[in-house]
Amino acid sequence: SLLLLAWLTLQWGIVPRIGQWKPEIEQKASEALGVPVTIGAVRVRSSGWIPLIELDDVVLSRRAEVGSTAATGDALRLPRVHAALSARSLLGLQVRFEQLHVDGADLEVRRDTQGRLFVAGIEVRAGSADDDEQGAGTDWLLAQRELVVRKGRLRWIDEKTGAAPLELSDVDLVMRNGLARHDLRLDATPPAQAGARFTLMGRFTQPLLSQRSNWRRWHGTLFAELPQADAAAVAAWLPPLPVQA
């Protein structure tokens, strides 16, 4: 079958030479995400039915943008990534993973003066026809079966409001994606003056034939648990709400 052929190609053609494929992996990752990607080292941890690949020092660089006050540099640094490569992805000539497990991610999320949102230097687009190319990175991320981030850091920069950056520590994230469903859980610790460690959980569905990145067409529920939150302290980092605390 085609799946068996793809698995044999993966096992005998790619996995044994994975270190030699580092430039090609960097190029494909850069094309898929739309930002420059560099990888310090690539090696195989297991060559079972689903090969486990380990990547060290993965860096997504921020592109220089007209009108942005953000400096160029690293938008995301991943000290270590464990990836379970899917043989099915080779049938579609795309790199997809059964699981991506990231340790110690240092992530930047930014809103520019025009209100555009960037995650790790990748613009989160609505996925409309005009956004096909720009939304490619978001589509690729939402096509991965499972993404797990442990012990990370997140920096929120809002150029539109000019508020001081928000630093979240000890960030744990789990995101699972299906054909038309996306589940998300985020646990993080804010600055002491803003409150205690909090949890965000969401379950969303999308129209079956729509692009994954077209999040404006998603439907679902988002739940937040904010113990000991100080409304006055966090007001500077939140958009205007239709209710008062």
Side-chain angles (χ1 to χ4, degrees):
S1 68
L2 291 177
L3 181 57
L4 178 60
L5 179 60
W7 183 82
L8 291 173
T9 300
L10 182 63
Q11 292 287 351
W12 299 102
I14 297 178
V15 169
R17 302 174 179 83
I18 195 68
Q20 303 173 19
W21 284 70
K22 187 170 78 74
E24 287 79 8
I25 294 173
E26 290 176 330
Q27 179 182 351
K28 291 297 183 181
S30 299
E31 292 173 354
L33 297 176
V35 295
V37 177
T38 60
I39 302 171
V42 183
R43 56 184 170 273
V44 178
R45 293 184 60 243
S46 170
S47 57
W49 174 254
I50 300 179
L52 299 179
I53 312 298
E54 192 171 83
L55 301 90
D56 291 340
D57 197 24
V58 179
V59 177
L60 278 65
S61 299
R62 186 191 305 109
R63 293 187 183 277
E65 300 167 30
V66 178
S68 173
T69 60
T72 57
D74 301 343
L76 175 62
R77 180 175 291 274
L78 309 175
R80 181 158 296 174
V81 178
H82 306 280
L85 188 60
S86 171
R88 291 184 180 88
S89 69
L90 298 182
L91 297 177
L93 300 178
Q94 294 180 331
V95 178
R96 292 186 180 179
F97 300 97
E98 294 295 326
Q99 184 186 66
L100 278 172
H101 192 130
V102 180
D103 296 324
D106 192 351
L107 173 67
E108 176 191 284
V109 180
R110 178 174 59 86
R111 184 170 67 162
D112 70 6
T113 55
Q114 301 176 42
R116 298 179 301 172
L117 184 66
F118 295 83
V119 178
I122 302 169
E123 185 175 358
V124 179
R125 309 283 290 205
S128 63
D130 294 335
D131 293 339
D132 285 348
E133 182 177 350
Q134 295 92 334
T138 308
D139 268 334
W140 182 88
L141 181 63
L142 294 174
Q144 310 313 305
R145 293 287 297 272
E146 182 177 81
L147 170 65
V148 179
V149 178
R150 299 297 186 198
K151 304 300 181 183
R153 295 179 61 86
L154 188 149
R155 179 180 173 87
W156 162 246
I157 300 173
D158 195 339
E159 298 176 355
K160 189 169 184 178
T161 64
L166 171 64
E167 303 275 355
L168 300 178
S169 61
D170 200 16
V171 175
D172 293 331
L173 170 69
V174 178
M175 182 172 65
R176 295 186 175 95
N177 300 301
L179 186 61
R181 196 177 82 180
H182 308 280
D183 295 332
L184 172 73
R185 175 173 176 138
L186 172 70
D187 295 274
T189 302
Q193 70 272 20
R197 185 170 178 79
F198 66 88
T199 298
L200 296 177
M201 291 187 292
R203 171 166 289 184
F204 307 95
T205 57
Q206 66 177 74
L208 189 58
L209 299 180
S210 70
Q211 281 186 281
R212 290 180 174 88
S213 60
N214 194 353
W215 50 267
R216 290 195 177 112
R217 298 186 64 190
W218 290 12
H219 299 278
T221 303
L222 181 66
F223 170 79
E225 182 180 354
L226 307 169
Q228 303 175 20
D230 187 326
V234 302
W237 297 307
L238 295 176
L241 299 175
V243 296
Q244 293 184 353

